[in-house]
Amino acid sequence: MFVFIAQYNKFLYDMIDGDRMYQQKVWRSSNRIEHSVYWKGKYGAKGEKRAKKQKVTPEQIKRQNQINRINTLARTISLNFYPNDYWTCLKYRAGTRKSIEDVKKDFRLFRDRMSREYKKRGEEFKYIYRIELGKRGGIHIHILFNRIWGADLLCQGNWPGELCNFEPLREKGDYKQLASYICKPLPEDPEEEQLSMFENLKDKEYKSVLKLGTSRNLERPKPEVKKYFRRTVRKLLVEGPKAAAGYYIDKESVKIGVNPYTGMSYMYYTELAIIPVTRCIRMPIEPVAEGKRRKNARRKKNDNT
């Protein structure tokens, strides 16, 4: 606690003292506004130098790249999906053995069928998926897709493996936990029991299958970039971040400190919608058959006469 207060006081002093420029990036979606404030140009207070950089190891680079992947995917989910969209597990029956090509073929067939059904209803099929192996080698696919009327029945009817488990996307707009699960690193040496469920699978070939995939129609997160001088950010740092109308500050998201590898000071925080925006599920209106329409027209004409 005392270390955090000391870091905050140093950060506050560095931001307010000295004539420097700062940069802020803002990512916006329907239920979430993410802020990132950090130095640009000169670093440290007047008469001070920025923190000394530390040598970055390959493990640290790997860890930072993983964090960046999780953040990017969480922003993508927040931008394209809404609470109560479907987080689904597509499974095969126990003991099913499939080749890599058969698994890919099944998913392509499912994707194409769902895209056609969505198009008939005037919607786009959007998804993020990952093929996985269970602890005992069970093949399954986790997929997040946008919900329309009867989407669960369409999913069950179009998945060749026949088994589907559904879970609605939760309301809280920070999807880093879900993104972390989807982006989790692949094991370097999977157990033989897991790989045995694939037919004719080579040792390193599984990595080409068990990876993240998305539909091409997803919006990609692009930040708004703003530049400030010290007087502009004084109020933010002295009084703390304030939420926009209809939002609140997620206290767990507030992070203040100094990056030991770049020497840059930073401040991160996220605003979440008080009342989350949800997807409007419209019931489709089935067109009346031509023969039935003519019959109704004749009946109406007879009633008038």
Side-chain angles (χ1 to χ4, degrees):
M1 182 65 181
F2 293 106
V3 174
F4 174 79
I5 294 175
Q7 288 181 342
Y8 178 78
N9 289 338
K10 182 180 183 302
F11 176 77
L12 189 63
Y13 174 76
D14 288 348
M15 285 288 281
I16 295 176
D17 188 27
D19 189 14
R20 297 177 305 280
M21 183 180 288
Y22 313 104
Q23 192 176 65
Q24 181 180 26
K25 289 186 178 182
V26 181
W27 290 268
R28 297 182 186 274
S29 60
S30 299
N31 295 316
R32 180 185 183 199
I33 306 175
E34 185 180 347
H35 301 262
S36 173
V37 184
Y38 54 94
W39 307 131
K40 185 174 183 179
K42 297 180 181 178
Y43 300 92
K46 191 172 182 180
E48 259 188 337
K49 295 181 179 180
R50 70 172 181 175
K52 187 177 180 180
K53 293 182 182 180
Q54 296 182 11
K55 187 176 180 180
V56 183
T57 65
E59 291 76 14
Q60 291 166 341
I61 294 175
K62 186 176 180 180
R63 189 183 308 117
Q64 186 59 50
N65 289 339
Q66 178 66 9
I67 291 172
N68 293 341
R69 281 192 289 268
I70 292 171
N71 288 337
T72 299
L73 183 59
R75 292 164 188 154
T76 303
I77 293 172
S78 182
L79 193 59
N80 292 275
F81 299 95
Y82 294 86
N84 296 322
D85 279 348
Y86 279 134
W87 170 241
T88 306
C89 183
L90 309 176
K91 299 192 291 186
Y92 293 95
R93 296 193 179 278
T96 300
R97 298 176 63 87
K98 289 273 185 177
S99 67
I100 290 178
E101 290 305 318
D102 285 342
V103 174
K104 290 181 177 179
K105 184 178 179 180
D106 284 346
F107 183 77
R108 286 196 298 267
L109 180 63
F110 169 77
R111 176 199 63 196
D112 294 343
R113 286 174 174 176
M114 292 292 284
S115 296
R116 284 195 296 269
E117 293 295 340
Y118 272 57
K119 190 174 181 179
K120 288 179 185 178
R121 292 158 176 78
E123 301 284 352
E124 282 188 300
F125 182 52
K126 296 184 177 183
Y127 61 86
I128 297 173
Y129 79 98
R130 180 169 177 175
I131 302 174
E132 287 192 315
L133 294 176
K135 292 182 178 180
R136 297 184 178 180
I139 309 166
H140 60 278
I141 301 174
H142 285 293
I143 181 170
L144 173 64
F145 63 91
N146 57 316
R147 184 178 180 181
I148 63 173
W149 185 274
D152 52 343
L153 298 179
L154 291 175
C155 183
Q156 289 177 331
N158 290 310
W159 170 240
E162 300 179 2
L163 301 177
C164 305
N165 291 335
F166 299 94
E167 183 180 341
L169 196 61
R170 58 190 176 86
E171 289 191 353
K172 189 177 179 182
D174 187 352
Y175 297 119
K176 287 188 178 180
Q177 185 176 358
L178 177 58
S180 179
Y181 180 82
I182 298 174
C183 288
K184 63 184 177 181
L186 294 171
E188 293 296 332
D189 298 309
E191 297 179 5
E192 292 184 5
E193 184 180 4
Q194 290 179 296
L195 299 184
S196 66
M197 300 306 294
F198 281 110
E199 293 181 348
N200 305 320
L201 181 66
K202 297 179 182 179
D203 291 341
K204 296 182 179 180
E205 205 174 18
Y206 81 103
K207 288 190 176 182
S208 66
V209 183
L210 310 182
K211 62 180 182 180
L212 170 68
T214 69
S215 58
R216 295 180 181 178
N217 55 2
L218 294 184
E219 290 186 65
R220 305 298 173 176
K222 295 180 180 179
E224 302 171 11
V225 181
K226 302 178 181 180
K227 295 180 180 179
Y228 299 104
F229 288 94
R230 63 184 178 85
R231 294 177 181 84
T232 309
V233 296
R234 179 187 295 269
K235 189 174 181 180
L236 169 67
L237 296 165
V238 172
E239 300 180 4
K242 291 187 178 180
Y247 290 80
Y248 68 94
I249 302 295
D250 180 10
K251 295 181 180 180
E252 295 181 0
S253 72
V254 180
K255 293 182 175 60
I256 302 172
V258 178
N259 188 317
Y261 311 115
T262 64
M264 296 174 65
S265 298
Y266 62 83
M267 180 179 187
Y268 302 142
Y269 66 96
T270 302
E271 301 177 49
L272 300 178
I274 297 174
I275 303 177
V277 177
T278 58
R279 191 181 299 280
C280 179
I281 309 296
R282 297 175 296 177
M283 184 174 68
I285 302 175
E286 295 292 338
V288 180
E290 184 65 18
K292 188 175 181 180
R293 185 186 66 79
R294 291 177 180 176
K295 183 177 180 180
N296 290 340
R298 288 196 300 268
R299 182 180 298 172
K300 184 176 182 181
K301 184 177 179 180
N302 294 333
D303 293 341
N304 291 336
T305 55

